Each structure stands twice: as C-alpha cells, then as structure tokens.
Amino acid sequence: ECFEGISRVMFSFNQAVDAVIFEPVAKGYRVLPMVIRNGTSNVMNNISNLLTIPNNVLQGEFGKAGNTVARFAINTTAGILGFFDPAKKMGFPDNGKEDYGQTLGVWGTGSGCYFVLPILGPTTARDFVGTVANIWGDPWYSMTVSDSPMMAEGLFNESDYYIEKGTSAVDFRAKNIESFDSLEKNSIDLYASIKSLYLQNRNKKISNSDTIVETQDESDWEEIDTK
C-alpha cells in the first residue's frame, strides 16, 4: 500500500465529515416515506445507466449494453424519469453499474496503489484514473455541465449534475447506516476493514462475480460507489 500514513489521516478526516454532515443528512433522509426513497434511488440508478452503457460496450458486453439501453428508454418514459422500474417487469433486468475503473480492470490493468481521497473515500491508482474518466466520459456530465445544447434549451442546469451526485451519496449512506455502524463496532482496525471490503467489492464487480464478500451480506451492504 502506498501513502498509508496520509491515507489514514484522510480516512479520519472523512469520518469526521461523515459524522457532522453525511450521517445526519442520511438519517433525515430516512424519515421520508419508503416510496419516495425507493423512487429517488430508482431515478439515480436510471441516470447511472448513461455511464454504464459506454462501459458495457468497451467491455465487449454488447448484450448487456442493449439491455441497459432498453432499461433506460423504458424507465425514463413509462417509468416517469426512472421513478418506477417497469423495465424489470418487461424482462430487462438490472445487471448493475459499470464504470471506467471496472473497464480498465477488465482490460487487464492492475489496481495499483490503494489510497484514500478526501470526501471521495477509498480508491486505487486504476480507479482514480477511472474516476476522472467517469466525469469527462459521462453523458450525464456532458448533458448538464459541458455547455450542451440541452443546457442552452433550458432542459438542464449545471446544478442538476451536482444534485444527482449529492443525492446518490446520501441515498447510499442512508441504505448503509446499520452496515457502517456494525463494521465500526466490530472492527479492530476500521481502516483495514474498509480497505479489504473496498478491494473485494471492486474485484467482484470487475469479474462480474456473484460471490458475496465475506465481511458483509449483499442485502445489508448496497455497494461501494466510486463515481
């Protein structure tokens, strides 16, 4: 591992930010009715399809790319911008999110050094490059931030991109309040536990494995999102 000393400092900083901002907001978010939270999560997942589609193609998963395109089209229209998921009932399952870090892994790029970024959290050298690509290569970013024709026509604003990212982060944190609390309570070294969980989860996604990581059950731990 590279920069462990600095990473542990960043990890402590992130914990402090989480305790002051993200966890309280997440707990407030969980006061909302379940139908609102589920719908919000569905909308965020629907938007993430825009990033998944090019990565399906780059990974040679053309069948999955077609499935993701169909899911996005159906849920954006019949599902009211993705609030509902009629695509699943029509035979188009959710195959999970894909990002450029995963694509680099599929292409054989090693993970490189593990380190922790402020706010963004754990990553590796490969996933950090993927994170940069996730911004510039994300159609949602192009539609909302890059002075696209859609912005000029008033369909989107730059704030829409940041609202989506912030909402996704809160939604993720709200889903995993108990998982984080349990991990913190039962870990001798929380930093090492998060590192292990992150690396296992990323390897699982790159290999498209159905194996559950040992430290958490999939029903309790939603995902580690590096986008």
Side-chain angles (χ1 to χ4, degrees):
E1 178 181 346
C2 306
F3 321 117
E4 181 174 355
I6 296 174
S7 290
R8 284 185 177 273
V9 171
M10 289 298 100
F11 181 74
S12 297
F13 170 77
N14 289 344
Q15 279 188 289
V17 172
D18 178 71
V20 173
I21 299 176
F22 288 107
E23 185 175 9
V25 172
K27 288 181 176 178
Y29 175 79
R30 284 180 60 155
V31 175
L32 295 173
M34 181 63 73
V35 64
I36 299 297
R37 283 185 281 146
N38 285 341
T40 300
S41 183
N42 288 341
V43 171
M44 299 303 104
N45 286 335
N46 190 52
I47 292 174
S48 74
N49 285 328
L50 292 170
L51 183 63
T52 295
I53 292 167
N55 282 284
N56 283 149
V57 173
L58 290 171
Q59 293 174 28
E61 298 281 0
F62 301 110
K64 287 186 177 180
N67 178 84
T68 308
V69 169
R71 282 186 55 79
F72 179 75
I74 293 169
N75 287 345
T76 300
T77 53
I80 312 177
L81 301 181
F83 194 86
F84 302 102
D85 188 6
K88 185 175 183 179
K89 296 180 180 179
M90 296 173 66
F92 297 97
D94 183 358
N95 291 318
K97 301 176 184 178
E98 299 289 340
D99 58 61
Y100 289 103
Q102 290 168 249
T103 295
L104 289 172
V106 170
W107 289 354
T109 305
S111 63
C113 292
Y114 172 89
F115 54 97
V116 178
L117 294 170
I119 307 299
L120 297 179
T123 190
T124 61
R126 178 189 62 213
D127 287 340
F128 178 72
V129 173
T131 297
V132 175
N134 288 340
I135 297 174
W136 297 106
D138 184 357
W140 177 240
Y141 178 88
S142 300
M143 291 162 60
T144 55
V145 180
S146 299
D147 296 325
S148 70
M150 293 183 178
M151 288 182 66
E153 294 172 4
L155 294 177
F156 298 112
N157 295 306
E158 183 173 338
S159 60
D160 294 333
Y161 178 82
Y162 300 105
I163 289 172
E164 183 269 328
K165 293 303 177 185
T167 303
S168 294
V170 171
D171 183 65
F172 166 76
R173 187 64 178 90
K175 288 177 178 177
N176 291 288
I177 287 176
E178 290 81 10
S179 294
F180 276 114
D181 288 346
S182 176
L183 194 63
E184 186 171 7
K185 179 180 178 181
N186 296 309
S187 296
I188 297 175
D189 183 348
L190 183 59
Y191 173 88
S193 296
I194 293 292
K195 174 186 174 182
S196 176
L197 184 59
Y198 175 84
L199 294 175
Q200 288 182 68
N201 189 65
R202 291 301 286 173
N203 288 335
K204 174 188 169 185
K205 288 184 175 182
I206 290 168
S207 64
N208 291 320
S209 171
D210 292 328
T211 303
I212 305 301
V213 295
E214 295 178 358
T215 48
Q216 292 287 330
D217 183 89
E218 189 69 44
S219 63
D220 295 328
W221 185 269
E222 288 291 324
E223 64 182 320
I224 297 179
D225 197 342
T226 60
K227 292 187 282 298

